[in-house]
Amino acid sequence: MNAPTAILKNDVTPQGSDYEVVRRIVEKISLDYRNQPSLEALAAEVGETPTGLQKLFTRWAGLSPKGFLQAVTLDHARRLLDAGMPLLEASLEVGMSGPGRLHDLFVTHEAMSPGDYKTRGAGLTIRYGFHLSPFGVALIMVTDRGLAGLSFNDAGDERVAFADMSGRWPNATYVEDMSATAPYAARIFDPKLWRADQPLRVVMIGTDFQVRVWEALLKIPMGRARTYASIAAEIGAPKASRAVGAAIGANPISFVVPCHRALGKTGALTGYHWGLTRKRAILGWEAGQVGG
């Protein structure tokens, strides 16, 4: 089965998904953060009662809408510089040994050889499936060596998402197999399943430089952020901030390899391959995990 003719056998259209409501609230907060919109105004935006929205949003993020607003407004993001300023002040008390390290400690990774990468996936079988996630529909791609791809899309854009991801390794053989990808979906998005004795296996398929950048991303604890410049310095290429930004943009394993924790030189959130609103949503969700 090749990329252009891939068939989606399973309907993954969300039914009553929290994320659609959350996405609209995140977008509203992102546009109007300077006005500090009230809970009542946010609720009216999505046709919810203030109490209903408070409960829904808190269930999703672990934060109230007000807490989320404080965590990821651009003014706050500009404070997340190389010193590792936390998204929430509470995470200062949690520290490196607390829940903020869960995601980072429980991932083990390896890289394919440069020769494997140059073949553009030839001889590689990649199994894929679409799954609901806290951040919309997730496309998960796995090999027999571990998780190789994770992207996000809105419902109805599955074919576009598949074309984007499969185009990275156009010579691979693709097999739709949700039975193979479902265990990854369950573990990736449920912090209760992040266990040190059963780390998530990840395989990185990229150039040597890209892999070095992606490995640096894995070292950023949840609830903290780094600039492109500091990542460039860490990998021994201090003048390569632009190339680092390109490598971060090409990261095929979103969320797990946390490219969303990379910021521009001023601390601004900058772009995100899967949408800036989604980046803010992920940062806010992580702030809830750390604060909790």
Side-chain angles (χ1 to χ4, degrees), residues 7 47-48 76 94 96 134 146 148 172 198 219-220 223 233 236 244 252 273 282:
I7 298 172
E48 288 275 354
H76 190 83
V94 172
M96 294 284 283
Q198 296 180 8
K219 297 177 184 177
I220 308 173
V244 164
H273 188 75
I282 294 173

Side-chain angles (χ1 to χ4, degrees), residues 105-177:
L105 287 174
F106 301 163
V107 174
T108 182
H109 70 277
E110 64 174 298
M112 295 186 69
S113 71
D116 289 333
Y117 174 70
K118 287 179 181 178
T119 67
R120 310 292 301 281
L124 191 65
T125 296
I126 297 178
R127 301 182 180 279
Y128 70 94
F130 290 89
H131 303 269
L132 296 184
S133 84
F135 314 109
V137 179
L139 169 57
I140 295 177
M141 292 183 161
V142 302
T143 72
D144 58 1
R145 294 161 64 178
L147 177 70
L150 169 57
S151 70
F152 296 107
N153 63 269
D154 295 326
D157 292 335
E158 288 79 17
R159 291 185 184 274
V160 174
F162 181 83
D164 173 48
M165 289 295 288
S166 60
R168 299 162 188 256
W169 313 294
N171 296 328
T173 297
Y174 291 89
V175 178
E176 186 178 9
D177 186 353

Side-chain angles (χ1 to χ4, degrees), residues 9-44:
K9 303 171 187 173
N10 302 282
D11 182 7
V12 296
T13 303
Q15 298 296 324
S17 170
D18 287 352
Y19 180 69
E20 178 55 28
V21 174
V22 169
R23 182 194 65 77
R24 292 174 61 190
I25 294 301
V26 171
E27 193 167 51
K28 176 71 172 176
I29 288 173
S30 302
L31 293 173
D32 293 350
Y33 71 94
R34 289 187 178 87
N35 297 323
Q36 299 287 294
S38 66
L39 177 63
E40 290 73 18
L42 293 172

Side-chain angles (χ1 to χ4, degrees), residues 190-235:
D190 186 352
K192 295 190 297 293
L193 299 179
W194 297 350
R195 297 177 50 185
D197 60 337
Q198 296 180 8
L200 179 70
R201 294 173 55 213
V202 169
V203 58
M204 296 178 176
I205 308 174
T207 65
D208 284 345
F209 182 83
Q210 287 174 331
V211 169
R212 285 162 57 201
V213 172
W214 301 339
E215 288 174 337
L217 292 174
L218 282 172
K219 297 177 184 177
I220 308 173
M222 179 184 287
R224 296 175 184 263
R226 298 283 300 277
T227 63
Y228 295 159
S230 71
I231 294 170
E234 180 175 330
I235 66 171

